[in-house]
PDB file of all heavy atoms in Angstrom:
ATOM      1  N   VAL A 233      12.767   2.334  -4.595  1.00  0.00           N
ATOM      2  CA  VAL A 233      12.620   3.458  -5.517  1.00  0.00           C
ATOM      3  C   VAL A 233      13.981   4.040  -5.873  1.00  0.00           C
ATOM      4  O   VAL A 233      14.246   4.406  -7.022  1.00  0.00           O
ATOM      5  CB  VAL A 233      11.707   4.537  -4.908  1.00  0.00           C
ATOM      6  CG1 VAL A 233      11.709   5.793  -5.764  1.00  0.00           C
ATOM      7  CG2 VAL A 233      10.288   4.006  -4.752  1.00  0.00           C
ATOM      8  N   ARG A 234      14.878   4.100  -4.902  1.00  0.00           N
ATOM      9  CA  ARG A 234      16.193   4.703  -5.140  1.00  0.00           C
ATOM     10  C   ARG A 234      17.066   3.823  -6.039  1.00  0.00           C
ATOM     11  O   ARG A 234      17.793   4.316  -6.890  1.00  0.00           O
ATOM     12  CB  ARG A 234      16.897   4.947  -3.813  1.00  0.00           C
ATOM     13  CG  ARG A 234      18.250   5.646  -3.964  1.00  0.00           C
ATOM     14  CD  ARG A 234      18.913   5.923  -2.637  1.00  0.00           C
ATOM     15  NE  ARG A 234      19.342   4.708  -1.969  1.00  0.00           N
ATOM     16  CZ  ARG A 234      18.820   4.221  -0.852  1.00  0.00           C
ATOM     17  NH1 ARG A 234      17.808   4.866  -0.287  1.00  0.00           N
ATOM     18  NH2 ARG A 234      19.258   3.112  -0.301  1.00  0.00           N
ATOM     19  N   ARG A 235      16.988   2.500  -5.889  1.00  0.00           N
ATOM     20  CA  ARG A 235      17.916   1.610  -6.583  1.00  0.00           C
ATOM     21  C   ARG A 235      17.399   1.086  -7.911  1.00  0.00           C
ATOM     22  O   ARG A 235      18.170   0.567  -8.711  1.00  0.00           O
ATOM     23  CB  ARG A 235      18.265   0.422  -5.683  1.00  0.00           C
ATOM     24  CG  ARG A 235      19.046   0.816  -4.445  1.00  0.00           C
ATOM     25  CD  ARG A 235      19.561  -0.410  -3.742  1.00  0.00           C
ATOM     26  NE  ARG A 235      20.392  -0.071  -2.587  1.00  0.00           N
ATOM     27  CZ  ARG A 235      21.075  -0.971  -1.875  1.00  0.00           C
ATOM     28  NH1 ARG A 235      21.020  -2.247  -2.223  1.00  0.00           N
ATOM     29  NH2 ARG A 235      21.795  -0.578  -0.846  1.00  0.00           N
ATOM     30  N   SER A 236      16.110   1.167  -8.141  1.00  0.00           N
ATOM     31  CA  SER A 236      15.552   0.625  -9.374  1.00  0.00           C
ATOM     32  C   SER A 236      15.739   1.594 -10.531  1.00  0.00           C
ATOM     33  O   SER A 236      15.715   2.817 -10.348  1.00  0.00           O
ATOM     34  CB  SER A 236      14.058   0.325  -9.197  1.00  0.00           C
ATOM     35  OG  SER A 236      13.869  -0.607  -8.164  1.00  0.00           O
ATOM     36  N   VAL A 237      15.893   1.039 -11.723  1.00  0.00           N
ATOM     37  CA  VAL A 237      16.070   1.869 -12.907  1.00  0.00           C
ATOM     38  C   VAL A 237      14.745   2.497 -13.320  1.00  0.00           C
ATOM     39  O   VAL A 237      14.685   3.684 -13.658  1.00  0.00           O
ATOM     40  CB  VAL A 237      16.658   1.025 -14.061  1.00  0.00           C
ATOM     41  CG1 VAL A 237      16.839   1.880 -15.305  1.00  0.00           C
ATOM     42  CG2 VAL A 237      17.982   0.405 -13.649  1.00  0.00           C
ATOM     43  N   GLU A 238      13.668   1.725 -13.319  1.00  0.00           N
ATOM     44  CA  GLU A 238      12.317   2.207 -13.660  1.00  0.00           C
ATOM     45  C   GLU A 238      11.369   1.785 -12.549  1.00  0.00           C
ATOM     46  O   GLU A 238      10.644   0.802 -12.685  1.00  0.00           O
ATOM     47  CB  GLU A 238      11.870   1.625 -15.002  1.00  0.00           C
ATOM     48  CG  GLU A 238      12.663   2.120 -16.189  1.00  0.00           C
ATOM     49  CD  GLU A 238      12.035   3.353 -16.808  1.00  0.00           C
ATOM     50  OE1 GLU A 238      10.919   3.692 -16.404  1.00  0.00           O
ATOM     51  OE2 GLU A 238      12.652   3.942 -17.693  1.00  0.00           O
ATOM     52  N   PRO A 239      11.357   2.498 -11.444  1.00  0.00           N
ATOM     53  CA  PRO A 239      10.642   2.025 -10.244  1.00  0.00           C
ATOM     54  C   PRO A 239       9.155   2.346 -10.248  1.00  0.00           C
ATOM     55  O   PRO A 239       8.623   2.838  -9.246  1.00  0.00           O
ATOM     56  CB  PRO A 239      11.366   2.756  -9.122  1.00  0.00           C
ATOM     57  CG  PRO A 239      11.776   4.047  -9.741  1.00  0.00           C
ATOM     58  CD  PRO A 239      12.078   3.753 -11.187  1.00  0.00           C
ATOM     59  N   ALA A 240       8.450   2.080 -11.331  1.00  0.00           N
ATOM     60  CA  ALA A 240       7.029   2.419 -11.379  1.00  0.00           C
ATOM     61  C   ALA A 240       6.216   1.593 -10.393  1.00  0.00           C
ATOM     62  O   ALA A 240       5.338   2.118  -9.696  1.00  0.00           O
ATOM     63  CB  ALA A 240       6.496   2.213 -12.795  1.00  0.00           C
ATOM     64  N   VAL A 241       6.499   0.279 -10.337  1.00  0.00           N
ATOM     65  CA  VAL A 241       5.710  -0.576  -9.453  1.00  0.00           C
ATOM     66  C   VAL A 241       5.932  -0.247  -7.982  1.00  0.00           C
ATOM     67  O   VAL A 241       4.955  -0.076  -7.245  1.00  0.00           O
ATOM     68  CB  VAL A 241       5.992  -2.066  -9.750  1.00  0.00           C
ATOM     69  CG1 VAL A 241       5.333  -2.959  -8.709  1.00  0.00           C
ATOM     70  CG2 VAL A 241       5.475  -2.432 -11.134  1.00  0.00           C
ATOM     71  N   PRO A 242       7.182  -0.150  -7.490  1.00  0.00           N
ATOM     72  CA  PRO A 242       7.312   0.209  -6.063  1.00  0.00           C
ATOM     73  C   PRO A 242       6.742   1.568  -5.726  1.00  0.00           C
ATOM     74  O   PRO A 242       6.218   1.767  -4.627  1.00  0.00           O
ATOM     75  CB  PRO A 242       8.830   0.148  -5.820  1.00  0.00           C
ATOM     76  CG  PRO A 242       9.453   0.173  -7.155  1.00  0.00           C
ATOM     77  CD  PRO A 242       8.489  -0.458  -8.087  1.00  0.00           C
ATOM     78  N   ILE A 243       6.821   2.529  -6.636  1.00  0.00           N
ATOM     79  CA  ILE A 243       6.205   3.831  -6.382  1.00  0.00           C
ATOM     80  C   ILE A 243       4.690   3.684  -6.265  1.00  0.00           C
ATOM     81  O   ILE A 243       4.057   4.219  -5.349  1.00  0.00           O
ATOM     82  CB  ILE A 243       6.571   4.831  -7.490  1.00  0.00           C
ATOM     83  CG1 ILE A 243       8.035   5.263  -7.371  1.00  0.00           C
ATOM     84  CG2 ILE A 243       5.670   6.067  -7.436  1.00  0.00           C
ATOM     85  CD1 ILE A 243       8.495   6.207  -8.462  1.00  0.00           C
ATOM     86  N   GLY A 244       4.104   2.933  -7.194  1.00  0.00           N
ATOM     87  CA  GLY A 244       2.662   2.734  -7.155  1.00  0.00           C
ATOM     88  C   GLY A 244       2.214   1.965  -5.926  1.00  0.00           C
ATOM     89  O   GLY A 244       1.186   2.288  -5.311  1.00  0.00           O
ATOM     90  N   VAL A 245       2.978   0.941  -5.540  1.00  0.00           N
ATOM     91  CA  VAL A 245       2.634   0.165  -4.352  1.00  0.00           C
ATOM     92  C   VAL A 245       2.733   1.028  -3.101  1.00  0.00           C
ATOM     93  O   VAL A 245       1.862   0.984  -2.222  1.00  0.00           O
ATOM     94  CB  VAL A 245       3.555  -1.067  -4.243  1.00  0.00           C
ATOM     95  CG1 VAL A 245       3.365  -1.768  -2.906  1.00  0.00           C
ATOM     96  CG2 VAL A 245       3.267  -2.040  -5.382  1.00  0.00           C
ATOM     97  N   ALA A 246       3.799   1.832  -3.009  1.00  0.00           N
ATOM     98  CA  ALA A 246       3.940   2.723  -1.858  1.00  0.00           C
ATOM     99  C   ALA A 246       2.797   3.733  -1.799  1.00  0.00           C
ATOM    100  O   ALA A 246       2.245   4.008  -0.721  1.00  0.00           O
ATOM    101  CB  ALA A 246       5.283   3.443  -1.926  1.00  0.00           C
ATOM    102  N   ALA A 247       2.415   4.291  -2.955  1.00  0.00           N
ATOM    103  CA  ALA A 247       1.304   5.248  -2.981  1.00  0.00           C
ATOM    104  C   ALA A 247      -0.002   4.581  -2.566  1.00  0.00           C
ATOM    105  O   ALA A 247      -0.822   5.176  -1.848  1.00  0.00           O
ATOM    106  CB  ALA A 247       1.178   5.853  -4.377  1.00  0.00           C
ATOM    107  N   ALA A 248      -0.211   3.338  -3.001  1.00  0.00           N
ATOM    108  CA  ALA A 248      -1.431   2.619  -2.626  1.00  0.00           C
ATOM    109  C   ALA A 248      -1.475   2.360  -1.127  1.00  0.00           C
ATOM    110  O   ALA A 248      -2.540   2.448  -0.493  1.00  0.00           O
ATOM    111  CB  ALA A 248      -1.513   1.304  -3.396  1.00  0.00           C
ATOM    112  N   MET A 249      -0.327   2.046  -0.530  1.00  0.00           N
ATOM    113  CA  MET A 249      -0.295   1.831   0.917  1.00  0.00           C
ATOM    114  C   MET A 249      -0.576   3.127   1.669  1.00  0.00           C
ATOM    115  O   MET A 249      -1.262   3.117   2.705  1.00  0.00           O
ATOM    116  CB  MET A 249       1.058   1.252   1.323  1.00  0.00           C
ATOM    117  CG  MET A 249       1.291  -0.170   0.839  1.00  0.00           C
ATOM    118  SD  MET A 249       2.849  -0.868   1.444  1.00  0.00           S
ATOM    119  CE  MET A 249       2.542  -0.930   3.201  1.00  0.00           C
ATOM    120  N   VAL A 250      -0.050   4.238   1.169  1.00  0.00           N
ATOM    121  CA  VAL A 250      -0.349   5.527   1.793  1.00  0.00           C
ATOM    122  C   VAL A 250      -1.844   5.836   1.682  1.00  0.00           C
ATOM    123  O   VAL A 250      -2.456   6.367   2.618  1.00  0.00           O
ATOM    124  CB  VAL A 250       0.489   6.640   1.135  1.00  0.00           C
ATOM    125  CG1 VAL A 250       0.032   8.021   1.619  1.00  0.00           C
ATOM    126  CG2 VAL A 250       1.970   6.449   1.453  1.00  0.00           C
ATOM    127  N   ALA A 251      -2.442   5.497   0.545  1.00  0.00           N
ATOM    128  CA  ALA A 251      -3.881   5.709   0.374  1.00  0.00           C
ATOM    129  C   ALA A 251      -4.681   4.940   1.421  1.00  0.00           C
ATOM    130  O   ALA A 251      -5.624   5.465   2.031  1.00  0.00           O
ATOM    131  CB  ALA A 251      -4.304   5.301  -1.031  1.00  0.00           C
ATOM    132  N   ILE A 252      -4.311   3.689   1.660  1.00  0.00           N
ATOM    133  CA  ILE A 252      -5.011   2.891   2.664  1.00  0.00           C
ATOM    134  C   ILE A 252      -4.801   3.480   4.053  1.00  0.00           C
ATOM    135  O   ILE A 252      -5.729   3.557   4.867  1.00  0.00           O
ATOM    136  CB  ILE A 252      -4.530   1.429   2.614  1.00  0.00           C
ATOM    137  CG1 ILE A 252      -4.948   0.786   1.288  1.00  0.00           C
ATOM    138  CG2 ILE A 252      -5.089   0.630   3.779  1.00  0.00           C
ATOM    139  CD1 ILE A 252      -4.446  -0.632   1.112  1.00  0.00           C
ATOM    140  N   LEU A 253      -3.582   3.918   4.338  1.00  0.00           N
ATOM    141  CA  LEU A 253      -3.276   4.473   5.656  1.00  0.00           C
ATOM    142  C   LEU A 253      -4.077   5.741   5.918  1.00  0.00           C
ATOM    143  O   LEU A 253      -4.719   5.887   6.973  1.00  0.00           O
ATOM    144  CB  LEU A 253      -1.780   4.758   5.758  1.00  0.00           C
ATOM    145  CG  LEU A 253      -1.276   5.312   7.095  1.00  0.00           C
ATOM    146  CD1 LEU A 253      -1.459   4.274   8.196  1.00  0.00           C
ATOM    147  CD2 LEU A 253       0.180   5.733   6.996  1.00  0.00           C
ATOM    148  N   LEU A 254      -4.081   6.683   4.965  1.00  0.00           N
ATOM    149  CA  LEU A 254      -4.789   7.942   5.174  1.00  0.00           C
ATOM    150  C   LEU A 254      -6.301   7.758   5.106  1.00  0.00           C
ATOM    151  O   LEU A 254      -7.042   8.464   5.782  1.00  0.00           O
ATOM    152  CB  LEU A 254      -4.332   8.979   4.149  1.00  0.00           C
ATOM    153  CG  LEU A 254      -2.896   9.479   4.290  1.00  0.00           C
ATOM    154  CD1 LEU A 254      -2.641  10.647   3.358  1.00  0.00           C
ATOM    155  CD2 LEU A 254      -2.596   9.878   5.721  1.00  0.00           C
ATOM    156  N   GLY A 255      -6.770   6.838   4.283  1.00  0.00           N
ATOM    157  CA  GLY A 255      -8.197   6.577   4.241  1.00  0.00           C
ATOM    158  C   GLY A 255      -8.738   6.125   5.579  1.00  0.00           C
ATOM    159  O   GLY A 255      -9.901   6.369   5.920  1.00  0.00           O
ATOM    160  N   ASN A 256      -7.889   5.463   6.373  1.00  0.00           N
ATOM    161  CA  ASN A 256      -8.317   4.984   7.685  1.00  0.00           C
ATOM    162  C   ASN A 256      -8.324   6.069   8.749  1.00  0.00           C
ATOM    163  O   ASN A 256      -8.595   5.779   9.913  1.00  0.00           O
ATOM    164  CB  ASN A 256      -7.418   3.832   8.131  1.00  0.00           C
ATOM    165  CG  ASN A 256      -7.879   2.498   7.590  1.00  0.00           C
ATOM    166  OD1 ASN A 256      -8.688   1.805   8.194  1.00  0.00           O
ATOM    167  ND2 ASN A 256      -7.380   2.143   6.422  1.00  0.00           N
ATOM    168  N   LEU A 257      -8.036   7.302   8.373  1.00  0.00           N
ATOM    169  CA  LEU A 257      -8.146   8.400   9.335  1.00  0.00           C
ATOM    170  C   LEU A 257      -9.593   8.752   9.630  1.00  0.00           C
ATOM    171  O   LEU A 257      -9.888   9.369  10.658  1.00  0.00           O
ATOM    172  CB  LEU A 257      -7.409   9.639   8.802  1.00  0.00           C
ATOM    173  CG  LEU A 257      -5.885   9.542   8.721  1.00  0.00           C
ATOM    174  CD1 LEU A 257      -5.308  10.822   8.143  1.00  0.00           C
ATOM    175  CD2 LEU A 257      -5.287   9.257  10.092  1.00  0.00           C
ATOM    176  N   THR A 258     -10.521   8.383   8.751  1.00  0.00           N
ATOM    177  CA  THR A 258     -11.928   8.701   8.975  1.00  0.00           C
ATOM    178  C   THR A 258     -12.821   7.468   8.959  1.00  0.00           C
ATOM    179  O   THR A 258     -14.051   7.583   8.936  1.00  0.00           O
ATOM    180  CB  THR A 258     -12.438   9.694   7.909  1.00  0.00           C
ATOM    181  OG1 THR A 258     -12.242   9.134   6.605  1.00  0.00           O
ATOM    182  CG2 THR A 258     -11.704  11.012   8.007  1.00  0.00           C
ATOM    183  N   VAL A 259     -12.223   6.282   8.960  1.00  0.00           N
ATOM    184  CA  VAL A 259     -12.998   5.049   8.977  1.00  0.00           C
ATOM    185  C   VAL A 259     -12.074   3.936   9.445  1.00  0.00           C
ATOM    186  O   VAL A 259     -10.844   4.056   9.356  1.00  0.00           O
ATOM    187  CB  VAL A 259     -13.571   4.736   7.575  1.00  0.00           C
ATOM    188  CG1 VAL A 259     -12.481   4.262   6.623  1.00  0.00           C
ATOM    189  CG2 VAL A 259     -14.688   3.701   7.657  1.00  0.00           C
ATOM    190  N   VAL A 260     -12.628   2.854   9.979  1.00  0.00           N
ATOM    191  CA  VAL A 260     -11.833   1.710  10.433  1.00  0.00           C
ATOM    192  C   VAL A 260     -11.961   0.611   9.386  1.00  0.00           C
ATOM    193  O   VAL A 260     -12.973  -0.083   9.328  1.00  0.00           O
ATOM    194  CB  VAL A 260     -12.310   1.209  11.809  1.00  0.00           C
ATOM    195  CG1 VAL A 260     -11.446   0.043  12.275  1.00  0.00           C
ATOM    196  CG2 VAL A 260     -12.272   2.331  12.829  1.00  0.00           C
ATOM    197  N   SER A 261     -10.939   0.452   8.553  1.00  0.00           N
ATOM    198  CA  SER A 261     -11.059  -0.510   7.448  1.00  0.00           C
ATOM    199  C   SER A 261      -9.769  -1.252   7.158  1.00  0.00           C
ATOM    200  O   SER A 261      -9.637  -1.851   6.097  1.00  0.00           O
ATOM    201  CB  SER A 261     -11.513   0.221   6.177  1.00  0.00           C
ATOM    202  OG  SER A 261     -10.448   1.006   5.656  1.00  0.00           O
ATOM    203  N   PHE A 262      -8.810  -1.239   8.073  1.00  0.00           N
ATOM    204  CA  PHE A 262      -7.571  -1.970   7.823  1.00  0.00           C
ATOM    205  C   PHE A 262      -7.830  -3.454   7.584  1.00  0.00           C
ATOM    206  O   PHE A 262      -7.194  -4.075   6.732  1.00  0.00           O
ATOM    207  CB  PHE A 262      -6.615  -1.818   9.016  1.00  0.00           C
ATOM    208  CG  PHE A 262      -5.853  -0.522   9.026  1.00  0.00           C
ATOM    209  CD1 PHE A 262      -5.993   0.363  10.075  1.00  0.00           C
ATOM    210  CD2 PHE A 262      -4.991  -0.199   7.995  1.00  0.00           C
ATOM    211  CE1 PHE A 262      -5.286   1.555  10.101  1.00  0.00           C
ATOM    212  CE2 PHE A 262      -4.285   0.997   8.003  1.00  0.00           C
ATOM    213  CZ  PHE A 262      -4.432   1.875   9.058  1.00  0.00           C
ATOM    214  N   THR A 263      -8.757  -4.036   8.347  1.00  0.00           N
ATOM    215  CA  THR A 263      -8.937  -5.486   8.321  1.00  0.00           C
ATOM    216  C   THR A 263     -10.196  -5.939   7.595  1.00  0.00           C
ATOM    217  O   THR A 263     -10.554  -7.115   7.681  1.00  0.00           O
ATOM    218  CB  THR A 263      -8.970  -6.028   9.756  1.00  0.00           C
ATOM    219  OG1 THR A 263     -10.033  -5.399  10.485  1.00  0.00           O
ATOM    220  CG2 THR A 263      -7.655  -5.771  10.464  1.00  0.00           C
ATOM    221  N   THR A 264     -10.895  -5.037   6.921  1.00  0.00           N
ATOM    222  CA  THR A 264     -12.046  -5.483   6.147  1.00  0.00           C
ATOM    223  C   THR A 264     -11.578  -6.383   5.004  1.00  0.00           C
ATOM    224  O   THR A 264     -10.432  -6.329   4.578  1.00  0.00           O
ATOM    225  CB  THR A 264     -12.827  -4.294   5.582  1.00  0.00           C
ATOM    226  OG1 THR A 264     -11.916  -3.411   4.923  1.00  0.00           O
ATOM    227  CG2 THR A 264     -13.555  -3.545   6.671  1.00  0.00           C
ATOM    228  N   GLU A 265     -12.477  -7.214   4.499  1.00  0.00           N
ATOM    229  CA  GLU A 265     -12.100  -8.312   3.617  1.00  0.00           C
ATOM    230  C   GLU A 265     -11.167  -7.881   2.483  1.00  0.00           C
ATOM    231  O   GLU A 265     -10.046  -8.369   2.352  1.00  0.00           O
ATOM    232  CB  GLU A 265     -13.355  -8.979   3.029  1.00  0.00           C
ATOM    233  CG  GLU A 265     -14.064  -9.927   3.981  1.00  0.00           C
ATOM    234  CD  GLU A 265     -14.948  -9.193   4.973  1.00  0.00           C
ATOM    235  OE1 GLU A 265     -15.067  -7.949   4.862  1.00  0.00           O
ATOM    236  OE2 GLU A 265     -15.520  -9.855   5.857  1.00  0.00           O
ATOM    237  N   GLN A 266     -11.623  -6.973   1.636  1.00  0.00           N
ATOM    238  CA  GLN A 266     -10.832  -6.587   0.475  1.00  0.00           C
ATOM    239  C   GLN A 266      -9.646  -5.713   0.865  1.00  0.00           C
ATOM    240  O   GLN A 266      -8.523  -5.940   0.415  1.00  0.00           O
ATOM    241  CB  GLN A 266     -11.713  -5.857  -0.543  1.00  0.00           C
ATOM    242  CG  GLN A 266     -12.692  -6.791  -1.236  1.00  0.00           C
ATOM    243  CD  GLN A 266     -13.666  -6.033  -2.108  1.00  0.00           C
ATOM    244  OE1 GLN A 266     -14.201  -5.019  -1.692  1.00  0.00           O
ATOM    245  NE2 GLN A 266     -13.902  -6.524  -3.299  1.00  0.00           N
ATOM    246  N   ASN A 267      -9.871  -4.724   1.702  1.00  0.00           N
ATOM    247  CA  ASN A 267      -8.789  -3.824   2.083  1.00  0.00           C
ATOM    248  C   ASN A 267      -7.685  -4.550   2.836  1.00  0.00           C
ATOM    249  O   ASN A 267      -6.499  -4.267   2.651  1.00  0.00           O
ATOM    250  CB  ASN A 267      -9.329  -2.671   2.929  1.00  0.00           C
ATOM    251  CG  ASN A 267     -10.114  -1.677   2.101  1.00  0.00           C
ATOM    252  OD1 ASN A 267     -10.197  -1.801   0.884  1.00  0.00           O
ATOM    253  ND2 ASN A 267     -10.694  -0.691   2.741  1.00  0.00           N
ATOM    254  N   GLY A 268      -8.065  -5.481   3.709  1.00  0.00           N
ATOM    255  CA  GLY A 268      -7.070  -6.200   4.480  1.00  0.00           C
ATOM    256  C   GLY A 268      -6.150  -7.029   3.602  1.00  0.00           C
ATOM    257  O   GLY A 268      -4.917  -6.955   3.715  1.00  0.00           O
ATOM    258  N   MET A 269      -6.719  -7.819   2.708  1.00  0.00           N
ATOM    259  CA  MET A 269      -5.888  -8.654   1.843  1.00  0.00           C
ATOM    260  C   MET A 269      -5.132  -7.823   0.827  1.00  0.00           C
ATOM    261  O   MET A 269      -4.005  -8.163   0.448  1.00  0.00           O
ATOM    262  CB  MET A 269      -6.741  -9.719   1.162  1.00  0.00           C
ATOM    263  CG  MET A 269      -7.311 -10.739   2.129  1.00  0.00           C
ATOM    264  SD  MET A 269      -7.907 -12.252   1.334  1.00  0.00           S
ATOM    265  CE  MET A 269      -6.357 -13.017   0.878  1.00  0.00           C
ATOM    266  N   LEU A 270      -5.724  -6.719   0.361  1.00  0.00           N
ATOM    267  CA  LEU A 270      -4.989  -5.823  -0.539  1.00  0.00           C
ATOM    268  C   LEU A 270      -3.770  -5.247   0.179  1.00  0.00           C
ATOM    269  O   LEU A 270      -2.673  -5.191  -0.400  1.00  0.00           O
ATOM    270  CB  LEU A 270      -5.899  -4.691  -1.017  1.00  0.00           C
ATOM    271  CG  LEU A 270      -5.215  -3.610  -1.858  1.00  0.00           C
ATOM    272  CD1 LEU A 270      -4.641  -4.200  -3.142  1.00  0.00           C
ATOM    273  CD2 LEU A 270      -6.180  -2.469  -2.166  1.00  0.00           C
ATOM    274  N   LEU A 271      -3.940  -4.836   1.423  1.00  0.00           N
ATOM    275  CA  LEU A 271      -2.807  -4.321   2.191  1.00  0.00           C
ATOM    276  C   LEU A 271      -1.732  -5.385   2.332  1.00  0.00           C
ATOM    277  O   LEU A 271      -0.532  -5.100   2.207  1.00  0.00           O
ATOM    278  CB  LEU A 271      -3.286  -3.857   3.570  1.00  0.00           C
ATOM    279  CG  LEU A 271      -2.204  -3.335   4.524  1.00  0.00           C
ATOM    280  CD1 LEU A 271      -1.467  -2.152   3.913  1.00  0.00           C
ATOM    281  CD2 LEU A 271      -2.823  -2.956   5.869  1.00  0.00           C
ATOM    282  N   GLY A 272      -2.124  -6.630   2.562  1.00  0.00           N
ATOM    283  CA  GLY A 272      -1.154  -7.709   2.665  1.00  0.00           C
ATOM    284  C   GLY A 272      -0.393  -7.939   1.375  1.00  0.00           C
ATOM    285  O   GLY A 272       0.827  -8.146   1.383  1.00  0.00           O
ATOM    286  N   VAL A 273      -1.098  -7.899   0.244  1.00  0.00           N
ATOM    287  CA  VAL A 273      -0.429  -8.061  -1.053  1.00  0.00           C
ATOM    288  C   VAL A 273       0.569  -6.928  -1.281  1.00  0.00           C
ATOM    289  O   VAL A 273       1.708  -7.162  -1.731  1.00  0.00           O
ATOM    290  CB  VAL A 273      -1.472  -8.114  -2.197  1.00  0.00           C
ATOM    291  CG1 VAL A 273      -0.773  -8.079  -3.554  1.00  0.00           C
ATOM    292  CG2 VAL A 273      -2.320  -9.373  -2.080  1.00  0.00           C
ATOM    293  N   LEU A 274       0.174  -5.712  -0.988  1.00  0.00           N
ATOM    294  CA  LEU A 274       1.072  -4.569  -1.177  1.00  0.00           C
ATOM    295  C   LEU A 274       2.295  -4.680  -0.271  1.00  0.00           C
ATOM    296  O   LEU A 274       3.428  -4.398  -0.694  1.00  0.00           O
ATOM    297  CB  LEU A 274       0.315  -3.268  -0.889  1.00  0.00           C
ATOM    298  CG  LEU A 274      -0.859  -2.948  -1.822  1.00  0.00           C
ATOM    299  CD1 LEU A 274      -1.615  -1.725  -1.315  1.00  0.00           C
ATOM    300  CD2 LEU A 274      -0.385  -2.734  -3.251  1.00  0.00           C
ATOM    301  N   MET A 275       2.093  -5.097   0.983  1.00  0.00           N
ATOM    302  CA  MET A 275       3.221  -5.279   1.889  1.00  0.00           C
ATOM    303  C   MET A 275       4.179  -6.340   1.359  1.00  0.00           C
ATOM    304  O   MET A 275       5.411  -6.187   1.444  1.00  0.00           O
ATOM    305  CB  MET A 275       2.715  -5.667   3.280  1.00  0.00           C
ATOM    306  CG  MET A 275       2.011  -4.559   4.029  1.00  0.00           C
ATOM    307  SD  MET A 275       1.313  -5.121   5.617  1.00  0.00           S
ATOM    308  CE  MET A 275       2.796  -5.686   6.458  1.00  0.00           C
ATOM    309  N   GLY A 276       3.638  -7.428   0.819  1.00  0.00           N
ATOM    310  CA  GLY A 276       4.489  -8.474   0.269  1.00  0.00           C
ATOM    311  C   GLY A 276       5.287  -8.008  -0.926  1.00  0.00           C
ATOM    312  O   GLY A 276       6.468  -8.364  -1.084  1.00  0.00           O
ATOM    313  N   MET A 277       4.670  -7.203  -1.783  1.00  0.00           N
ATOM    314  CA  MET A 277       5.377  -6.684  -2.957  1.00  0.00           C
ATOM    315  C   MET A 277       6.518  -5.759  -2.552  1.00  0.00           C
ATOM    316  O   MET A 277       7.614  -5.809  -3.117  1.00  0.00           O
ATOM    317  CB  MET A 277       4.391  -5.966  -3.876  1.00  0.00           C
ATOM    318  CG  MET A 277       3.352  -6.880  -4.499  1.00  0.00           C
ATOM    319  SD  MET A 277       2.074  -5.993  -5.423  1.00  0.00           S
ATOM    320  CE  MET A 277       3.005  -5.474  -6.876  1.00  0.00           C
ATOM    321  N   ILE A 278       6.276  -4.913  -1.552  1.00  0.00           N
ATOM    322  CA  ILE A 278       7.331  -4.021  -1.078  1.00  0.00           C
ATOM    323  C   ILE A 278       8.424  -4.808  -0.363  1.00  0.00           C
ATOM    324  O   ILE A 278       9.619  -4.523  -0.502  1.00  0.00           O
ATOM    325  CB  ILE A 278       6.741  -2.956  -0.136  1.00  0.00           C
ATOM    326  CG1 ILE A 278       6.020  -1.873  -0.947  1.00  0.00           C
ATOM    327  CG2 ILE A 278       7.816  -2.311   0.714  1.00  0.00           C
ATOM    328  CD1 ILE A 278       6.938  -1.037  -1.814  1.00  0.00           C
TER     329      ILE A 278
END
């Protein structure tokens, strides 16, 4: 975010990862089919 000229994608990816992290405060879903692979894709992009 600091080094990019137009960091829309890394900002969005970081926000999506925070959403997954906080959503798991009231449910266990890190490794469910869609959420798990989505988290992996976001980690790879970052």
